[in-house]
Amino acid sequence: MNDEVIHSEAIYGMKTKGPLVRIAWGDKNMMVTTTDAKRIAYDLLDTAHAADGDAFMVHYMQNKVGLPLEGAVQVLADFRDERVRMNGEN
């Protein structure tokens, strides 16, 4: 994992005459609209919750069901595939 920190800053765009968000990560910088910044934030939050849920499922399958790690991870992958199939997700 990288120790770089993601930093954000509220900006008033003089050229756009509107609100912007500057996102910096290491030596990379980008400006986004507040709508895009909110979408990115919501996506990160949703992904973090999903990762927590995945970790719980693997833990549960190992400790309560008795599956080895490889089996628990395979069940997780099967659940994801079935969800995609049922919901018509890509």
Side-chain angles (χ1 to χ4, degrees), residues 9 16 75:
E9 179 181 9
T16 64
V75 169

Side-chain angles (χ1 to χ4, degrees), residues 3 8 11 14-15 19 28-29 32-34 36 44-45 51 59 61-62 74 79-80:
D3 288 336
S8 60
I11 301 287
M14 288 177 44
K15 290 181 183 177
K28 297 166 190 66
N29 283 284
V32 297
T33 65
T34 55
D36 286 342
L44 285 170
L45 189 57
H59 170 84
M61 296 305 265
Q62 286 183 280
Q74 184 59 54
F79 280 178
R80 286 179 177 164

Side-chain angles (χ1 to χ4, degrees), residues 20-83:
L20 295 170
V21 175
R22 183 179 70 84
I23 301 172
W25 184 3
D27 62 351
K28 297 166 190 66
N29 283 284
M30 66 184 206
M31 299 285 254
V32 297
T33 65
T34 55
T35 299
D36 286 342
K38 291 171 190 174
R39 181 191 48 78
I40 292 166
Y42 292 137
D43 287 348
L44 285 170
L45 189 57
D46 285 346
T47 303
H49 284 302
D52 287 340
D54 289 354
F56 170 78
M57 286 292 298
V58 170
H59 170 84
Y60 184 87
M61 296 305 265
Q62 286 183 280
N63 292 297
K64 297 293 184 179
V65 178
L67 290 177
L69 177 60
E70 296 79 16
V73 170
Q74 184 59 54
V75 169
L76 179 63
D78 292 346
F79 280 178
R80 286 179 177 164
D81 290 345
E82 185 65 11
R83 185 190 69 229

